[in-house]
Amino acid sequence: MNLPLVLCLLAAAYLIGSIPTALWVGRRFFGIDIREHGSGNSGATNTFRVLGKKPGSAVMAFDVFKGWAATSLASVMVSQGAIRPDQLLYFQLACGVLAVLGHIFPIYAGFRGGKGVATLLGMMLAIAPGTVGICLLIFLLVLFISRYVSLSSMTAGVAFALLQLLPPFRPDNSLLLVFGFVLAGLLIYTHRANIGRLRAGTESRVPLFGRK
C-alpha cells in the first residue's frame, strides 16, 4: 500500500465534500447566508425552501457530484497501485463517508453544513449505480407526489437497503448490504425532527412548480 498517496486522497475526499455549495450560492447570487434562514441547514433541501427550485436543483446536482467525485478517488488509488483491487469497496466507502462528513462539517464554512443526503446519494451512485438509479426514481416519485424532500430521502434510503435483499441487486460483498441498512437507519435518525414535523403537518414543502 502506498500510504502517503492513500492519505492524501482520503484528505482530498473530505475537502471535496466540504465545498459548501448552498452557502456559496446563497452568498454569491442572493446575498444571504442560507444557514440563517429556513431550517438553518446548508444543504439542497433548505436551498429549495428558501431560494427556490432553480438554485435548489443546482445545489443538489453539485452536492451529488461531490459525493460521486470523492468516492471515485478510490479508483485512482487502484489505478496508481496504492491499494489492491480487492480493497476497492472498502476505500470507496471510506472516501464517500469522508465526503459526507465534509458536507456536514465543512472546513470552509466553520464546520456548519447540511445533512449530507445529496452527497450520500453521489457516494452510493459511484458504488452501486444500478440500485441507486431505481432509488432515485423512487425519490423523485415521492417528491413529485408529496413535495417533501425529507420523506423522499428516507423512503429512498430504506428502498436501497431492501432492494439489496433481492437477488438482482444483492451485492457481492456483504459489507455493502450491512452498510445499506446502517445508512437507512442513519437517514431516519438524522431526520427525526422532520418526522416530527411530518406527523404534525408542519413540514415545509419544496416549490416544484413555483416561479423561483
Side-chain angles (χ1 to χ4, degrees):
M1 178 184 292
N2 185 339
L3 187 58
L5 179 58
V6 169
L7 292 177
C8 285
L9 291 176
L10 287 173
Y14 167 77
L15 293 174
I16 291 171
S18 286
I19 298 172
T21 319
L23 180 63
W24 288 355
V25 167
R27 285 178 173 174
R28 175 65 179 83
F29 297 103
F30 298 90
I32 67 168
D33 186 332
I34 193 72
R35 298 170 300 180
E36 297 175 356
H37 302 268
S39 66
N41 285 320
S42 181
T45 301
N46 200 35
T47 306
F48 269 110
R49 291 193 188 110
V50 176
L51 302 179
K53 64 179 181 180
K54 290 182 180 179
S57 297
V59 168
M60 178 174 286
F62 191 80
D63 284 350
V64 170
F65 173 75
K66 289 192 312 185
W68 177 87
T71 305
S72 297
L73 291 177
S75 298
V76 177
M77 296 180 190
V78 173
S79 67
Q80 296 299 311
I83 61 172
R84 300 191 310 270
D86 62 292
Q87 296 175 310
L88 176 61
L89 175 61
Y90 302 100
F91 283 91
Q92 283 179 318
L93 292 174
C95 287
V97 168
L98 283 169
V100 173
L101 288 174
H103 181 88
I104 298 171
F105 306 108
I107 193 172
Y108 309 120
F111 302 99
R112 291 178 56 205
K115 293 182 178 178
V117 174
T119 305
L120 188 59
L121 171 61
M123 167 191 173
M124 300 314 297
L125 189 60
I127 297 174
T131 309
V132 171
I134 293 178
C135 293
L136 183 57
L137 291 176
I138 293 172
F139 173 91
L140 293 173
L141 178 62
V142 176
L143 182 62
F144 180 80
I145 294 172
S146 70
R147 291 191 288 127
Y148 291 127
V149 175
S150 56
L151 179 62
S152 304
S153 300
M154 289 185 286
T155 304
V158 172
F160 179 83
L162 295 178
L163 278 172
Q164 290 190 107
L165 296 175
L166 302 178
F169 304 100
R170 189 166 296 159
D172 295 329
N173 192 321
S174 59
L175 176 61
L176 188 56
L177 179 63
V178 173
F179 184 82
F181 278 93
V182 172
L183 172 63
L186 284 174
L187 278 174
I188 293 172
Y189 176 77
T190 57
H191 285 82
R192 59 194 184 279
N194 303 84
I195 293 173
R197 291 193 294 269
L198 285 167
R199 294 178 64 182
T202 58
E203 179 75 331
S204 299
R205 298 175 187 263
V206 296
L208 294 182
F209 307 106
R211 293 182 178 180
K212 292 183 180 181

XYZ file of all heavy atoms in Angstrom, residues 60-120:
453
model
N -28.303 20.792 -5.355
C -28.441 19.343 -5.222
C -27.552 18.611 -6.224
O -26.864 17.642 -5.872
C -29.896 18.915 -5.403
C -30.091 17.407 -5.312
S -31.829 16.902 -5.358
C -32.351 17.379 -3.719
N -27.547 19.077 -7.472
C -26.749 18.418 -8.509
C -25.261 18.447 -8.152
O -24.556 17.434 -8.289
C -26.984 19.093 -9.857
N -24.782 19.599 -7.674
C -23.361 19.681 -7.360
C -23.020 18.878 -6.107
O -21.948 18.262 -6.035
C -22.913 21.139 -7.173
C -21.413 21.281 -7.116
C -20.667 21.274 -8.275
C -20.756 21.385 -5.895
C -19.275 21.375 -8.233
C -19.377 21.489 -5.837
C -18.632 21.489 -7.016
N -23.926 18.858 -5.132
C -23.670 18.068 -3.926
C -23.642 16.570 -4.243
O -22.867 15.816 -3.646
C -24.718 18.372 -2.858
C -24.475 19.714 -2.175
O -23.401 20.302 -2.398
O -25.371 20.178 -1.434
N -24.473 16.132 -5.176
C -24.410 14.741 -5.639
C -23.067 14.490 -6.317
O -22.410 13.470 -6.077
C -25.573 14.423 -6.606
C -25.358 13.070 -7.278
C -26.905 14.441 -5.869
N -22.653 15.431 -7.161
C -21.368 15.295 -7.853
C -20.212 15.211 -6.864
O -19.271 14.435 -7.060
C -21.160 16.468 -8.809
C -19.789 16.490 -9.432
C -19.464 15.607 -10.447
C -18.821 17.382 -8.981
C -18.199 15.605 -11.013
C -17.551 17.391 -9.535
C -17.239 16.508 -10.558
N -20.276 15.987 -5.779
C -19.227 15.939 -4.759
C -19.059 14.516 -4.221
O -17.940 14.017 -4.092
C -19.566 16.867 -3.585
C -19.483 18.337 -3.866
C -19.548 19.172 -2.575
C -20.646 18.787 -1.638
N -20.770 19.676 -0.464
N -20.163 13.896 -3.878
C -20.102 12.544 -3.341
C -19.559 11.553 -4.341
O -18.744 10.681 -3.999
N -20.007 11.689 -5.599
C -19.534 10.777 -6.649
C -18.036 10.968 -6.904
O -17.276 9.994 -6.983
C -20.315 11.032 -7.943
C -19.847 10.186 -9.082
C -20.258 8.926 -9.405
C -18.859 10.539 -10.061
N -19.590 8.466 -10.511
C -18.718 9.440 -10.935
C -18.081 11.679 -10.272
C -17.834 9.456 -12.004
C -17.190 11.697 -11.340
C -17.073 10.601 -12.198
N -17.606 12.216 -7.009
C -16.197 12.508 -7.311
C -15.281 12.039 -6.181
O -14.216 11.443 -6.429
C -16.019 14.007 -7.547
N -15.679 12.309 -4.943
C -14.849 11.901 -3.807
C -14.734 10.383 -3.718
O -13.645 9.837 -3.507
C -15.433 12.465 -2.511
N -15.856 9.694 -3.907
C -15.847 8.234 -3.844
C -15.020 7.637 -4.967
O -14.337 6.614 -4.789
C -17.293 7.702 -3.903
O -18.057 8.304 -2.864
C -17.326 6.189 -3.737
N -15.032 8.273 -6.120
C -14.274 7.788 -7.271
C -12.768 7.897 -7.076
O -12.000 7.302 -7.849
C -14.690 8.556 -8.532
O -16.064 8.324 -8.827
N -12.334 8.635 -6.065
C -10.896 8.710 -5.782
C -10.336 7.340 -5.406
O -9.134 7.094 -5.567
C -10.632 9.704 -4.653
C -10.878 11.184 -4.976
C -10.649 12.036 -3.726
C -9.971 11.653 -6.102
N -11.186 6.454 -4.919
C -10.737 5.096 -4.592
C -10.259 4.372 -5.839
O -9.305 3.580 -5.783
C -11.856 4.318 -3.908
N -10.899 4.637 -6.978
C -10.463 4.022 -8.234
C -9.095 4.538 -8.645
O -8.302 3.817 -9.257
C -11.491 4.304 -9.340
O -12.743 3.731 -9.019
N -8.820 5.804 -8.307
C -7.489 6.360 -8.569
C -6.443 5.623 -7.741
O -5.337 5.334 -8.211
C -7.458 7.873 -8.252
C -6.055 8.435 -8.445
C -8.456 8.620 -9.123
N -6.790 5.285 -6.500
C -5.866 4.522 -5.653
C -5.513 3.195 -6.296
O -4.350 2.762 -6.275
C -6.500 4.279 -4.280
C -6.770 5.520 -3.464
S -7.535 5.097 -1.864
C -8.026 6.709 -1.265
N -6.528 2.541 -6.882
C -6.285 1.253 -7.535
C -5.423 1.440 -8.777
O -4.435 0.717 -8.994
C -7.613 0.567 -7.911
C -7.351 -0.690 -8.741
C -8.405 0.208 -6.663
N -5.772 2.414 -9.607
C -5.041 2.631 -10.856
C -3.587 3.028 -10.618
O -2.716 2.729 -11.438
C -5.740 3.702 -11.701
O -5.667 4.971 -11.070
N -3.315 3.667 -9.490
C -1.947 4.074 -9.157
C -1.210 3.020 -8.327
O -0.070 3.245 -7.919
C -1.968 5.398 -8.393
C -2.500 6.574 -9.193
C -1.657 6.845 -10.432
O -0.424 6.919 -10.376
N -2.316 6.994 -11.569
N -1.864 1.898 -8.097
C -1.228 0.825 -7.342
C -1.108 1.088 -5.858
O -0.354 0.423 -5.152
N -1.871 2.079 -5.355
C -1.792 2.414 -3.934
C -2.515 1.384 -3.075
O -2.158 1.178 -1.911
C -2.374 3.797 -3.688
N -3.569 0.762 -3.622
C -4.293 -0.300 -2.933
C -4.551 -1.431 -3.912
O -4.443 -1.258 -5.132
C -5.646 0.205 -2.350
C -6.555 0.705 -3.470
C -5.413 1.282 -1.301
C -7.965 1.042 -3.015
N -4.929 -2.592 -3.398
C -5.244 -3.736 -4.252
C -6.672 -3.615 -4.782
O -7.539 -3.013 -4.111
C -5.107 -5.044 -3.474
C -3.725 -5.310 -2.907
C -3.632 -6.744 -2.383
N -4.752 -7.070 -1.495
C -4.729 -6.878 -0.172
N -3.665 -6.340 0.411
N -5.773 -7.218 0.573
N -6.970 -4.179 -5.939
C -8.336 -4.127 -6.484
C -9.381 -4.689 -5.538
O -10.516 -4.198 -5.500
C -8.231 -4.960 -7.771
C -6.800 -4.812 -8.186
C -6.023 -4.768 -6.906
N -9.014 -5.733 -4.759
C -9.996 -6.321 -3.845
C -10.293 -5.414 -2.641
O -11.213 -5.685 -1.863
C -9.516 -7.693 -3.358
C -8.215 -7.607 -2.569
O -7.178 -7.282 -3.178
O -8.237 -7.848 -1.346
N -9.517 -4.345 -2.504
C -9.758 -3.388 -1.416
C -10.601 -2.204 -1.872
O -10.893 -1.297 -1.072
C -8.418 -2.861 -0.882
C -7.549 -3.929 -0.234
C -6.190 -3.374 0.168
O -5.493 -2.731 -0.617
N -5.805 -3.614 1.420
N -11.016 -2.193 -3.130
C -11.693 -1.034 -3.703
C -12.926 -0.615 -2.914
O -13.090 0.557 -2.574
C -12.082 -1.320 -5.159
C -12.892 -0.207 -5.867
C -12.085 1.087 -5.929
C -13.316 -0.658 -7.262
N -13.822 -1.552 -2.616
C -15.068 -1.194 -1.932
C -14.796 -0.528 -0.583
O -15.455 0.459 -0.224
C -15.945 -2.430 -1.730
C -17.236 -2.201 -0.925
C -18.143 -1.195 -1.637
C -17.971 -3.516 -0.690
N -13.823 -1.060 0.151
C -13.527 -0.508 1.476
C -13.099 0.958 1.378
O -13.517 1.800 2.188
C -12.433 -1.330 2.151
C -12.802 -2.788 2.308
C -12.310 -3.748 1.425
C -13.670 -3.202 3.313
C -12.659 -5.086 1.560
C -14.022 -4.535 3.462
C -13.523 -5.469 2.571
O -13.875 -6.791 2.699
N -12.291 1.261 0.375
C -11.819 2.638 0.234
C -12.859 3.529 -0.453
O -12.868 4.743 -0.240
C -10.476 2.659 -0.492
C -9.330 2.255 0.396
C -8.930 0.940 0.472
C -8.710 3.199 1.202
C -7.899 0.554 1.315
C -7.675 2.829 2.050
C -7.265 1.499 2.115
N -13.739 2.928 -1.254
C -14.881 3.703 -1.765
C -15.749 4.175 -0.609
O -16.152 5.344 -0.552
C -15.712 2.853 -2.728
C -15.123 2.677 -4.104
C -16.002 1.814 -4.984
O -16.542 0.790 -4.534
N -16.157 2.199 -6.224
N -16.029 3.269 0.306
C -16.843 3.632 1.476
C -16.120 4.663 2.338
O -16.742 5.618 2.829
C -17.167 2.388 2.298
C -18.111 1.373 1.638
C -18.229 0.111 2.491
C -19.488 1.974 1.413
N -14.807 4.492 2.502
C -14.043 5.441 3.318
C -14.054 6.833 2.693
O -14.312 7.837 3.379
C -12.607 4.945 3.479
N -13.802 6.905 1.385
C -13.803 8.200 0.694
C -15.188 8.831 0.731
O -15.337 10.038 0.954
C -13.339 8.027 -0.751
S -11.577 7.708 -0.948
N -16.213 8.016 0.491
C -17.572 8.535 0.485
C -18.007 9.057 1.840
O -18.605 10.130 1.945
N -17.701 8.305 2.890
C -18.068 8.734 4.242
C -17.345 10.027 4.598
O -17.935 10.936 5.207
C -17.746 7.622 5.265
C -17.835 8.155 6.687
C -18.706 6.446 5.093
N -16.081 10.141 4.214
C -15.333 11.377 4.481
C -15.954 12.563 3.744
O -16.007 13.678 4.273
C -13.871 11.204 4.078
C -13.020 10.400 5.059
C -11.666 10.053 4.443
C -12.828 11.158 6.357
N -16.439 12.323 2.520
C -17.093 13.396 1.765
C -18.384 13.827 2.452
O -18.679 15.026 2.552
C -17.382 12.939 0.339
N -19.150 12.868 2.933
C -20.399 13.184 3.641
C -20.095 13.947 4.926
O -20.762 14.940 5.253
C -21.194 11.897 3.940
C -22.392 12.212 4.819
C -21.653 11.242 2.642
N -19.077 13.502 5.650
C -18.670 14.219 6.860
C -18.202 15.633 6.520
O -18.460 16.582 7.271
C -17.558 13.456 7.581
C -17.976 12.161 8.291
C -16.753 11.435 8.842
C -18.972 12.450 9.408
N -17.532 15.767 5.379
C -17.115 17.087 4.938
C -18.301 17.991 4.665
O -18.273 19.184 4.979
N -19.359 17.428 4.082
C -20.561 18.213 3.824
C -21.238 18.634 5.128
O -21.696 19.772 5.254
C -21.548 17.411 2.973
C -22.800 18.162 2.658
N -22.914 18.983 1.570
C -23.990 18.230 3.307
C -24.122 19.530 1.554
N -24.794 19.079 2.600
N -21.283 17.718 6.083
C -21.933 18.017 7.362
C -21.083 18.970 8.204
O -21.604 19.880 8.848
C -22.205 16.709 8.130
C -23.154 15.811 7.335
C -22.809 17.006 9.508
C -23.318 14.415 7.915
N -19.762 18.759 8.164
C -18.826 19.582 8.942
C -17.775 20.184 8.007
O -16.612 19.772 8.012
C -18.143 18.737 10.025
C -19.100 18.004 10.926
C -19.256 16.629 10.829
C -19.854 18.680 11.877
C -20.125 15.938 11.655
C -20.734 18.008 12.712
C -20.877 16.635 12.601
N -18.176 21.156 7.180
C -17.259 21.705 6.172
C -16.185 22.615 6.763
O -16.495 23.556 7.495
C -18.195 22.498 5.245
C -19.333 22.898 6.131
C -19.516 21.772 7.109
N -14.951 22.324 6.437
C -13.846 23.118 6.962
C -13.873 24.543 6.417
O -13.374 25.471 7.053
C -12.495 22.431 6.622
C -11.360 23.068 7.438
C -12.221 22.481 5.128
C -10.039 22.328 7.321
N -14.481 24.730 5.221
C -14.536 26.060 4.610
C -15.650 26.937 5.184
O -15.748 28.106 4.829
C -14.777 25.943 3.098
C -13.852 25.002 2.373
C -14.367 23.905 1.677
C -12.482 25.184 2.368
C -13.540 23.042 0.992
C -11.640 24.310 1.695
C -12.172 23.242 1.012
O -11.351 22.372 0.341
N -16.503 26.368 6.025
C -17.674 27.117 6.493
C -17.896 26.948 7.989
O -19.032 26.805 8.452
C -18.915 26.677 5.719
N -16.815 26.954 8.744
C -16.933 26.879 10.192
C -17.555 25.598 10.701
O -18.136 25.581 11.784
N -17.443 24.523 9.902
C -17.957 23.201 10.287
C -19.468 23.202 10.505
O -19.994 22.379 11.246
C -17.227 22.677 11.532
C -15.735 22.584 11.346
C -14.897 23.574 11.837
C -15.174 21.532 10.639
C -13.521 23.516 11.649
C -13.806 21.454 10.440
C -12.972 22.447 10.945
N -20.167 24.112 9.831
C -21.640 24.155 9.881
C -22.172 23.900 8.474
O -22.150 24.776 7.620
C -22.128 25.521 10.365
C -21.848 25.835 11.817
C -22.327 27.236 12.149
N -23.751 27.399 11.827
C -24.301 28.576 11.550
N -23.564 29.682 11.523
N -25.594 28.648 11.277
N -22.626 22.680 8.233
C -23.084 22.312 6.902
C -24.498 21.790 6.879
O -25.336 22.199 7.678
N -24.750 20.862 5.954
C -26.084 20.291 5.809
C -26.141 18.871 6.347
O -25.268 18.448 7.112
N -27.148 18.129 5.928
C -27.332 16.766 6.419
C -26.609 15.725 5.572
O -26.493 14.576 5.964
C -28.822 16.434 6.487
C -29.567 17.238 7.545
C -31.020 16.844 7.620
C -31.733 17.623 8.730
N -33.171 17.291 8.794
N -26.167 16.106 4.377
C -25.342 15.218 3.571
C -26.082 14.216 2.716
O -25.473 13.297 2.177
N -27.403 14.381 2.560
C -28.179 13.386 1.823
C -27.773 13.351 0.346
O -27.557 12.284 -0.226
C -29.684 13.657 1.958
C -30.479 12.703 1.077
C -30.121 13.503 3.406
N -27.655 14.528 -0.292
C -27.296 14.564 -1.717
C -25.883 14.037 -1.922
O -25.615 13.312 -2.896
C -27.425 15.984 -2.253
N -24.964 14.376 -1.029
C -23.593 13.877 -1.135
C -23.559 12.366 -0.930
O -22.809 11.649 -1.604
C -22.701 14.578 -0.093
O -22.810 15.994 -0.266
C -21.246 14.188 -0.265
N -24.383 11.888 -0.029
C -24.510 10.447 0.196
C -25.055 9.753 -1.041
O -24.608 8.655 -1.407
C -25.428 10.208 1.396
C -25.560 8.787 1.915
C -24.210 8.236 2.327
C -26.511 8.755 3.101
